[in-house]
Amino acid sequence: MRRRPGGNRGWLLRLVIAFSFAQAAVSMARPAVSYRALALGADERAVGVIAGVYALLPLFAAVPLGRRTDHGRCAPLLPAGVVLIAAGCVLGGRADSLAAMAVWSGVMGLGHLAFVIGAQSLVARQSAPHEQDRDFGHFTIGASLGQLVGPVAAGALIGGHDMAATSALALLVAGAGAAAAFTTLWRIEDRTAPGARDRSGDRVPVRRILGARGVPAGILISLSVLSATDVLTAYLPVVGEERGIAPSVVGLLLSLRAAATIACRLVLTPLLRLGRTPLLTSTCLLAALLCAGIALPVPVWALAAMLAALGFCLGVGQPLSMTTVVRAAPEGARSTALALRLTGNRLGQVAAPAGAGLVAGVAGVAAPFVLLGGLLLLSAGVALRSPAARRPAPALTEEVPTPLSER
């Protein structure tokens, strides 16, 4: 007998664990790729190109993967993504040229994109409409855990006189960590449920998806939050160097930000009692003020408090933007809409650091945080006006597969 969606959440716990391994592998591999490229003789421009391939190459695959998931099953993308991540890490660790490093960096990025599209689509289908905010919040805990553990593990392995060898070792370990995600992907989607079988029907044009009221808002909010996280990670060490803050302290500050984001997502359910629109608007607004505040020459303890509050606020945007996009997208195109959201994220990952670098070169290293504050302020206004945040979720009963464990 089939029960209502959301009744058993064992699949979600296993998905979070798998995502934690996959994200930790990527978060560990990305700095290792940069260090290995430097050891192979790359200059700053070449490192930037290799890092950019990670974000740019998967852009061409995002919409086709979303289309495929809208008219088929989600689960096959998960092991495929893990295989590509592990292969990109391991083969990148064995590469002996910058061109090969760029190729395997792109393969790793494609694997991460495939995994995330499949996983987000799975959460959208297997969660009851009123539980989507909570389940997306718990799902993104996996990303936060991976972002917390991965860089620490990379830092512990990379170093010494032989940077090429230690960075290669870090990439091999990252590949093994990605492969560990396989241990929790068993029976995560029901093959026989109506929503999991191939579905025929006309494809919704991308223009119509982007024209749905609420989809652009969700994409902009997600892009803003991710850009803030990326630029903070990249430029806080530069701010610390300018202000005489030790690298070890900067690392602790970044870990504090990540821990606050995890804490936010653990308590997202009670926070939602405030209402989706007020919560999303207020956290984007407060994050904008805190980002701009980082530009001020405050003492370390005040900077730590600001980063903790900022991490908490940034923890709201990603899961709620996922729900916003899912609810606003036309029926039969929700996975494609999520893929377009991820496309916006990747564009932000390319444009935000580049733009921050230009601004920092002209106006100083603290200026990018003021720019991010303006972007988050715009997101707060968009969240306030978004109709998708206010209207009830559409029924998903015909699209939601029930996990085998509920039968």
Side-chain angles (χ1 to χ4, degrees), residues 37 47 50 78-79 95 129 148 189 199 203 212 223-224 231-232 234 260 268 289 292 294 312 325 333 375 403:
V47 171
I50 292 172
L78 303 181
L148 184 64
E189 183 182 28
R199 297 192 297 275
R203 293 182 174 183
L223 183 153
S224 302
V231 172
L232 182 68
L268 189 58
L289 297 175
I294 293 174
F312 194 89
V325 168
L375 184 59

Side-chain angles (χ1 to χ4, degrees), residues 173-226:
V173 172
F182 279 116
T183 59
T184 61
L185 291 178
W186 45 274
R187 295 175 64 184
I188 206 162
E189 183 182 28
D190 182 3
R191 292 174 180 267
T192 62
R197 294 197 298 266
D198 288 347
R199 297 192 297 275
S200 60
D202 296 333
R203 293 182 174 183
V204 181
V206 170
R207 182 179 300 178
R208 182 184 163 198
I209 299 171
L210 292 174
R213 297 187 64 187
V215 171
I219 292 174
L220 177 62
I221 292 166
S222 178
L223 183 153
S224 302
V225 170
L226 186 64

Side-chain angles (χ1 to χ4, degrees), residues 15 27 43 65 73-74 104 119 131 147 151 175-176 200 239 297 304 311 317 342 368:
L15 184 62
S27 298
D43 56 14
L65 286 175
R73 295 175 54 230
C74 307
W104 298 123
E131 295 176 338
Q147 291 165 359
S200 60
V239 171
L342 289 170

Side-chain angles (χ1 to χ4, degrees), residues 28-43 46-47 50 88-102 104-105 108 154 158-159 162-172:
M28 183 178 182
R30 294 199 69 190
V33 165
S34 297
Y35 282 117
R36 180 155 178 80
L38 290 171
L40 292 175
D43 56 14
V47 171
I50 292 172
C89 292
V90 172
L91 295 174
R94 296 176 61 85
D96 56 4
S97 71
L98 297 180
M101 290 293 301
W104 298 123
S105 177
M108 181 172 59
I158 301 172
D162 193 351
M163 189 68 71
T166 56
S167 58
L169 175 62
L171 284 166
L172 294 175

Side-chain angles (χ1 to χ4, degrees), residues 46-347:
V47 171
V49 169
I50 292 172
V53 170
Y54 170 89
L56 285 175
L57 184 62
L59 291 180
F60 300 100
V63 171
L65 286 175
R67 296 285 197 200
R68 180 223 166 273
T69 308
D70 275 323
H71 298 277
R73 295 175 54 230
C74 307
L77 285 181
L78 303 181
V82 171
V83 168
L84 289 173
I85 292 171
C89 292
V90 172
L91 295 174
R94 296 176 61 85
D96 56 4
S97 71
L98 297 180
M101 290 293 301
V103 169
W104 298 123
S105 177
V107 169
M108 181 172 59
L110 180 61
H112 186 258
L113 181 77
F115 187 98
V116 173
I117 288 176
Q120 288 183 5
S121 300
L122 195 67
V123 175
R125 287 185 186 177
Q126 296 193 170
S127 302
H130 66 281
E131 295 176 338
Q132 285 179 342
D133 284 323
R134 180 199 65 189
D135 288 356
F136 274 125
H138 289 173
F139 165 71
T140 52
I141 289 174
S144 298
L145 287 171
Q147 291 165 359
L148 184 64
V149 172
V152 174
L157 290 174
I158 301 172
H161 298 293
D162 193 351
M163 189 68 71
T166 56
S167 58
L169 175 62
L171 284 166
L172 294 175
V173 172
F182 279 116
T183 59
T184 61
L185 291 178
W186 45 274
R187 295 175 64 184
I188 206 162
E189 183 182 28
D190 182 3
R191 292 174 180 267
T192 62
R197 294 197 298 266
D198 288 347
R199 297 192 297 275
S200 60
D202 296 333
R203 293 182 174 183
V204 181
V206 170
R207 182 179 300 178
R208 182 184 163 198
I209 299 171
L210 292 174
R213 297 187 64 187
V215 171
I219 292 174
L220 177 62
I221 292 166
S222 178
L223 183 153
S224 302
V225 170
L226 186 64
S227 296
T229 303
D230 276 9
V231 172
L232 182 68
T233 302
Y235 278 88
L236 191 64
V238 183
V239 171
E241 185 70 19
E242 186 179 73
R243 299 180 187 176
I245 303 173
S248 59
V249 176
V250 171
L252 289 175
L253 291 173
L254 290 172
S255 296
L256 178 63
R257 195 281 310 162
T261 298
I262 295 173
C264 169
R265 289 166 180 170
L266 287 172
V267 299
L268 189 58
T269 299
L271 287 175
L272 284 168
R273 295 171 187 166
L274 301 173
R276 297 185 77 254
T277 299
L279 181 61
L280 198 50
T281 303
S282 60
T283 52
C284 284
L285 179 59
L286 184 55
L289 297 175
L290 290 166
C291 264
I294 293 174
L296 302 174
V298 296
V300 173
W301 65 265
L303 185 60
M306 291 167 62
L307 286 170
L310 178 60
F312 194 89
C313 291
L314 294 177
V316 172
Q318 290 288 14
L320 294 197
S321 70
M322 293 178 197
T323 310
T324 297
V325 168
V326 166
R327 294 183 177 184
E331 187 173 354
R334 290 173 188 142
S335 294
T336 305
L338 287 169
L340 289 170
R341 174 186 167 276
L342 289 170
T343 300
N345 285 355
R346 290 299 174 91
L347 288 173

